[in-house]
Amino acid sequence: MKNKVVTPDEKQINRRITKNTFAKGIFFLGTLFGIIVLAALLIRIFTQGIGYLDFDFLSNFASRRPEDAGIRAAILGTVWIMSITIPVSLILGVSTSIYLEEYAPKNKFTHFIELNLANLAGVPSVVFGLLGLTIFVRLLEMGRSILAGGLTMSLLILPVIVVASKEAIRSIPQEQYEAAYAMGATKWQIIRTVVLPAATPGILTGAILSLSRGVGETASLLMIGAMTFIAYIPASVLDGFTVLPIQIFSWASRPQTEFQAVAAAGSIVLLVILIVMNSLAIFIRNKYSKRY
Amino acid sequence: MRMTNFVKIGASLSAALLLAACGTPPEDENNAETNDEPSEGITGSVQVDGSSTVFPIMEGVAEEFSIENPKARATIGVSGSGGGFEKFIAGETDISNASRPIKEEEAALLEEADIEYTEFKIALDGLSLVVNPENDWVDYLTLDELYAIWAEEGDADTWADVRDGWPDEEIELFSPGTDSGTYDYFDEVILDGDQIERDASLSEDDNILVQGVQGSPNGLAYFGYAYYAENMDTVKIVPIKNSKGEIVEPNSETIQDGSYEPLSRPLFIYVKHESMEDNDTAYEFAKYSLEMAGEMADEVGYVALKDSIYEESLETLESLR
């Protein structure tokens, strides 16, 4: 067989260059579109809300007067909810993923469970809200409390944490296990000294990202009745609550245009919280992930 | 070693938040500057829930109540009139807000649950019909014309169908969503329970309705008076011919004296007798609501009732003790 030497003529080359330019243009426009929309949104929120953003806004309760309205109850509500959600979802989520990856036999049943976990991560949050309303609020008689809200939120983000943790555990090189077994380590010793340390950055990154989803979450908490006016500091987990995104939603639907600006100011605060949380996730990933 | 990293980071994250959450109450108790008049010592809590229409009034009431009674805990939820009654029936709330009177089946369930209650009117709202400012032909509408426009069975699709000489342009309708008490009321007095025009755009967010009319020269929408009062410059009100044949437009006088009918509607609170007797905070809150409702109503865009009605209500409330 003779090798046929193909010499592309100039026409062909030009056509390929045109295609390339065309593709580049489309991708550039796609990126540009996203950035412009984001910029427009940010500019609008900031120009509208910045005037209401001061210390009083953070330290006041909600009010019928836009100039007095503040997000104190909403921020505290968010903090309370997170103080339940973080331990519950981390402990349950990490345990589940360790069990599934390290202990559970690989059969059809566990495969079925894993498939469902991945599906759960895509279930609309309002469905979790209904679940929380039925189980925590009504059946377990927790009422429309911080406890019910925090547990509902834990359920909501649990699948994401489990999937992220499983991924982190699975990416640990097999050699590390073999080395540990060779030293005579038991399963628990391996989990404690090999698996968890190596998987921590992955687990924490996943956890923080899903928690920041939780911070911005509205629908599920609306279902369990978090759209409230509260002018006191919750003192126990059985008190009522409201959270930042719901407070913003409530203001945005008011007739007075000033409240739209107050809602924008609330959005700025929410954005800042989310940026801080996401930066933390990136920081943790970068700091701990280059171990081998 | 690395194990400790995991524990450290995880624990410190949740501990930080826990601390933040638990650490706040004392800070607030020291913050006694708002508490310059000695409080009567109301320290209990009151649960209020219900209509989103009534919410701004009750929010104002609760705000003032909390300033006067810093240790009392008033929670005002927003579940809609129906959702509010659901909780009222379940015995979860002391006071239920509603933008419509209680329904027969709800009253029956309350009786079944052995819950006695009293209804109080706390303010008035006037459903306002508005069009785009470019619309210079509509001078007023009658109830029959409204039915023709809004009902699916009605025979007016264009302005020309409504009255001769009006432009032959299709009317674009904007209505509050079917979950709202506003829709219920309109359905009752104008549509008489018939199906609303299927082409109408429904939204639970009244600001969307306002924007709809602002952006559409042939738009027509209805919503609570507060939304009209806030947007007087950008939408045009449509006066209504009332049952006496007078042409009235909604404003605080016509709504209060009842001449803007049938589109004026009262807003209610329902109080549970048991809570009034046993729960001082609930009683004081209900009393405070009736005393302040008129002022709050004006402030947030509704219309106060006549003073005599509030006085009567207060007497009734006191007799429940």
Side-chain angles (χ1 to χ4, degrees):
Chain A
M1 275 240 299
K2 261 197 262 173
N3 273 335
K4 216 171 105 186
V5 181
V6 183
T7 43
D9 57 36
E10 205 156 301
K11 232 172 155 186
Q12 253 178 321
I13 293 177
N14 279 341
R15 203 158 57 222
R16 286 176 194 169
I17 290 177
T18 320
K19 272 185 189 165
N20 184 44
T21 324
F22 181 69
K24 186 180 158 194
I26 288 197
F27 297 143
F28 179 70
L29 280 181
T31 316
L32 199 65
F33 181 75
I35 291 177
I36 287 176
V37 170
L38 181 68
L41 192 72
L42 286 180
I43 289 170
R44 172 147 173 80
I45 287 178
F46 273 88
T47 50
Q48 220 185 356
I50 204 82
Y52 280 90
L53 200 62
D54 51 15
F55 182 72
D56 283 346
F57 182 69
L58 298 176
S59 64
N60 282 2
F61 289 110
S63 166
R64 65 185 183 284
R65 295 192 202 94
E67 60 276 14
D68 291 340
I71 51 172
R72 180 178 194 164
I75 284 196
L76 288 173
T78 297
V79 169
W80 269 95
I81 289 287
M82 284 301 132
S83 69
I84 289 181
T85 305
I86 291 174
V88 170
S89 60
L90 263 188
I91 291 169
L92 284 181
V94 175
S95 317
T96 309
S97 55
I98 289 177
Y99 179 77
L100 284 176
E101 282 302 310
E102 301 296 332
Y103 289 103
K106 299 273 174 257
N107 56 25
K108 276 188 179 164
F109 181 65
T110 44
H111 185 68
F112 178 72
I113 288 184
E114 283 174 22
L115 195 71
N116 274 301
L117 270 171
N119 275 338
L120 271 183
V123 167
S125 55
V126 69
V127 177
F128 283 96
L130 283 170
L131 186 75
L133 179 69
T134 319
I135 295 185
F136 300 126
V137 176
R138 296 260 157 86
L139 198 68
L140 300 178
E141 292 185 353
M142 291 175 188
R144 284 141 211 280
S145 60
I146 294 169
L147 187 60
L151 292 177
T152 307
M153 185 74 85
S154 309
L155 284 189
L156 176 71
I157 64 172
L158 201 52
V160 186
I161 294 190
V162 173
V163 171
S165 308
K166 267 160 51 73
E167 232 25 78
I169 292 173
R170 201 174 290 168
S171 65
I172 300 168
Q174 193 60 32
E175 290 81 0
Q176 297 220 348
Y177 287 89
E178 283 160 7
Y181 278 126
M183 305 286 286
T186 62
K187 196 118 197 177
W188 169 237
Q189 281 175 319
I190 293 175
I191 289 171
R192 211 161 44 101
T193 56
V194 177
V195 175
L196 275 183
T200 300
I203 291 175
L204 283 184
T205 309
I208 294 174
L209 288 180
S210 55
L211 282 171
S212 55
R213 180 192 169 194
V215 169
E217 171 59 33
T218 323
S220 61
L221 292 181
L222 266 185
M223 285 310 301
I224 66 163
M227 189 150 169
T228 47
F229 170 82
I230 285 175
Y232 56 83
I233 307 286
S236 85
V237 291
L238 292 174
D239 281 334
F241 69 100
T242 188
V243 291
L244 207 42
I246 294 184
Q247 184 69 66
I248 294 169
F249 172 69
S250 159
W251 279 328
S253 59
R254 290 297 183 84
Q256 292 83 357
T257 40
E258 293 85 355
F259 272 115
Q260 318 290 328
V262 178
S267 307
I268 297 176
V269 175
L270 187 59
L271 267 176
V272 169
I273 293 178
L274 290 177
I275 289 172
V276 168
M277 287 183 75
N278 288 344
S279 315
L280 193 65
I282 294 170
F283 172 75
I284 289 176
R285 193 173 59 213
N286 290 345
K287 180 149 192 213
Y288 295 101
S289 65
K290 289 168 192 152
R291 287 296 168 93
Y292 36 66
Chain B
M1 275 307 283
R2 295 218 192 124
M3 167 66 191
T4 39
N5 270 339
F6 176 77
V7 174
K8 258 190 216 157
I9 299 171
S12 55
L13 258 180
S14 48
L17 280 169
L18 259 173
L19 274 178
C22 305
T24 338
E27 173 216 326
D28 185 59
E29 272 156 31
N30 296 337
N31 184 9
E33 55 205 332
T34 48
N35 186 10
D36 35 21
E37 36 185 320
S39 79
E40 292 287 305
I42 299 177
T43 53
S45 63
V46 52
Q47 300 290 329
V48 185
D49 209 317
S51 164
S52 57
T53 311
V54 186
F55 176 73
I57 298 179
M58 296 308 274
E59 182 191 45
V61 171
E63 191 186 345
E64 295 300 319
F65 186 74
S66 301
I67 293 172
E68 285 194 18
N69 306 288
K71 288 193 174 150
R73 303 147 74 81
T75 309
I76 319 290
V78 184
S79 308
S81 301
F85 279 126
E86 215 174 279
K87 291 185 203 171
F88 197 54
I89 292 163
E92 291 169 15
T93 49
D94 305 304
I95 298 174
S96 202
N97 307 328
S99 59
R100 56 162 173 80
I102 191 164
K103 287 181 183 163
E104 270 174 39
E105 54 264 37
E106 288 160 346
L109 285 170
L110 277 168
E111 196 169 336
E112 212 171 281
D114 215 11
I115 294 174
E116 288 181 62
Y117 61 93
T118 301
E119 170 191 292
F120 294 110
K121 288 181 186 166
I122 58 159
L124 294 164
D125 184 18
L127 295 200
S128 306
L129 280 137
V130 303
V131 292
N132 190 285
E134 280 176 38
N135 180 328
D136 52 8
W137 55 89
V138 175
D139 43 2
Y140 69 93
L141 287 168
T142 67
L143 299 185
D144 290 338
E145 284 166 344
L146 281 175
Y147 180 87
I149 294 170
W150 283 97
E152 175 71 15
E153 292 166 22
D155 44 14
D157 290 328
T158 66
W159 289 108
D161 294 338
V162 182
R163 235 178 272 173
D164 292 336
W166 286 2
D168 190 16
E169 306 265 2
E170 190 147 334
I171 309 174
E172 273 187 73
L173 298 175
F174 300 91
S175 160
T178 51
D179 276 351
S180 65
T182 317
Y183 174 89
D184 281 347
Y185 191 78
F186 192 79
D187 185 51
E188 189 190 317
V189 299
I190 301 293
L191 298 176
D192 208 15
D194 290 347
Q195 168 69 37
I196 193 170
E197 184 76 49
R198 283 184 209 281
D199 292 340
S201 314
L202 271 61
S203 170
E204 295 294 342
D205 183 350
D206 291 344
N207 285 321
I208 303 287
L209 307 176
V210 174
Q211 286 163 14
V213 168
Q214 286 166 349
S216 148
N218 289 302
L220 175 67
Y222 70 90
F223 35 68
Y225 180 69
Y227 287 86
Y228 164 62
E230 277 303 315
N231 295 286
M232 278 184 183
D233 305 338
T234 50
V235 294
K236 190 179 145 191
I237 193 78
V238 180
I240 300 298
K241 195 175 204 173
N242 71 12
S243 59
K244 288 184 199 123
E246 298 162 344
I247 291 162
V248 277
E249 64 174 76
N251 56 44
S252 34
E253 286 96 57
T254 57
I255 294 173
Q256 192 181 56
D257 67 20
S259 57
Y260 184 69
E261 46 94 6
L263 288 176
S264 298
R265 56 165 177 171
L267 304 175
F268 303 95
I269 58 172
Y270 288 78
V271 303
K272 183 158 94 175
H273 288 181
E274 197 188 322
S275 305
M276 294 304 111
E277 284 161 22
D278 303 341
N279 181 343
D280 288 340
T281 314
Y283 174 76
E284 289 299 329
F285 187 81
K287 194 172 148 198
Y288 200 74
S289 304
L290 291 174
E291 286 165 357
M292 299 290 284
E295 189 186 317
M296 291 301 153
D298 287 337
E299 209 172 310
V300 298
Y302 296 105
V303 176
L305 296 159
K306 287 176 190 142
D307 288 341
S308 57
I309 300 180
Y310 291 118
E311 282 157 22
E312 270 171 47
S313 299
L314 276 166
E315 278 170 32
T316 317
L317 183 73
E318 271 158 39
S319 71
L320 296 177
R321 272 296 247 191

